[in-house]
Each structure stands twice: as C-alpha cells, then as structure tokens.
Amino acid sequence: MLTTLYRIIAVISAVALVSLTLLTTADVVARYAVSAPIHAAMEGISYLLALLILAGYGLVTRDRTHIAVGILPEIFPRIAKVERHVTALFTLGGTVLITWLLWKQASSHLARGQMGETIPVPLGWIILGLTILSAAAILFALRTVFRPESAPDTDH
C-alpha cells in the first residue's frame, strides 16, 4: 500500500514540477517579450510550489533523504542507532505539526468560503489537498519510527 501511495505522490510531484517550470517560463517570456505577464500566474505558481514542497516532503521522508549532518556518529559510532530513532521521532513530530496546522487552515478557509485572489478556486479545498499529502508523509514517517534501520523500498 505504501509503495502505491509513494508512486502516486511521485507522479503528483513530477506533474507539479513540470507545470511549475512551464508556467514560470511562459510567464517570464510573456512578461519580457510582449510586456504582458500571464494573468494569475503568480498565484498559480504559488499553488504549484506548495504542492511540490508537500509532495516532495513525503517522498524524502519515505526515502530518508532529508539533509542531515552525522557528526555524532562519526565521533561516537555506538550512538548511530539512537540518532536514527531520535531523528525519526523528530521527523514524525514535525510532520504531525505541519499536518495539524494545514488542517486548521483548511478548516478556517472552508468555513469562511475564502477564494483565491485572482483564480476563483476555494482555498480551503486546495489546502485540504495539501493536508492529505502531508498526512501521507505522516505514514512514511511512522514507518521510519518503527523501522529506522531498514532500507527504504527500492521497487519504485
């Protein structure tokens, strides 16, 4: 199940990255070539960037590829296992916090019926989608807490 979820999030991430690149490039070309930027491009870029960041967070959490500096295990090799557990717990805690904050924000926007500034889309639904991606990262973080030594699945 987690492998399928990982693949879905990887596709979402790839689509967001390609879309972000194309929209940004088109907006820059339109802005400088014909002095007419694409309407609502900045808001669309913001949405795509948020999507890319949260999808990517789930992917790096699952693969345990966060940027890390392993100074203590170099000095004290016996604490490497403890460091992996502590790092996994902090990752889980941070992911839960991010998801909870997104949930609160989505609920607030949905209750007020707030719409995007230039793109008429309900912000609450966008943030709810981001919350779901963050919740998937919780699943991956839970896996690292309960299996910190195991290598990530390599069948992707």
Side-chain angles (χ1 to χ4, degrees):
M1 181 186 118
L2 287 180
T3 301
T4 302
L5 182 60
Y6 178 88
R7 288 180 179 163
I8 291 168
I9 294 173
V11 168
I12 290 170
S13 183
V15 169
L17 180 60
V18 169
S19 300
L20 180 66
T21 303
L22 292 174
L23 180 56
T24 302
T25 302
D27 186 48
V28 168
V29 168
R31 184 177 310 259
Y32 291 105
V34 294
S35 297
I38 297 173
H39 176 71
M42 291 306 292
E43 190 172 355
I45 289 168
S46 298
Y47 297 156
L48 288 168
L49 187 57
L51 179 63
L52 181 61
I53 289 169
L54 284 164
Y57 185 71
L59 298 177
V60 299
T61 298
R62 188 259 196 186
D63 290 341
R64 287 178 228 120
T65 54
H66 295 284
I67 296 172
V69 179
I71 295 172
L72 291 178
E74 292 288 326
I75 300 169
F76 307 106
R78 294 180 187 205
I79 68 164
K81 185 175 181 178
V82 173
E83 182 193 39
R84 281 194 299 273
H85 285 288
V86 170
T87 302
L89 286 171
F90 272 104
T91 300
L92 176 61
T95 307
V96 168
L97 178 64
I98 290 167
T99 305
W100 177 69
L101 292 171
L102 283 167
W103 175 256
K104 281 184 58 173
Q105 191 174 29
S107 300
S108 173
H109 286 303
L110 285 170
R112 291 187 313 225
Q114 192 169 357
M115 303 291 277
E117 289 182 27
T118 54
I119 301 173
V121 62
L123 286 177
W125 289 107
I126 291 174
I127 299 169
L128 188 61
L130 298 174
T131 305
I132 292 167
L133 282 173
S134 190
I138 289 175
L139 295 175
F140 296 136
L142 279 168
R143 182 172 179 261
T144 63
V145 166
F146 293 110
R147 295 175 48 196
E149 302 87 22
S150 66
D153 295 336
T154 56
D155 62 344
H156 58 273

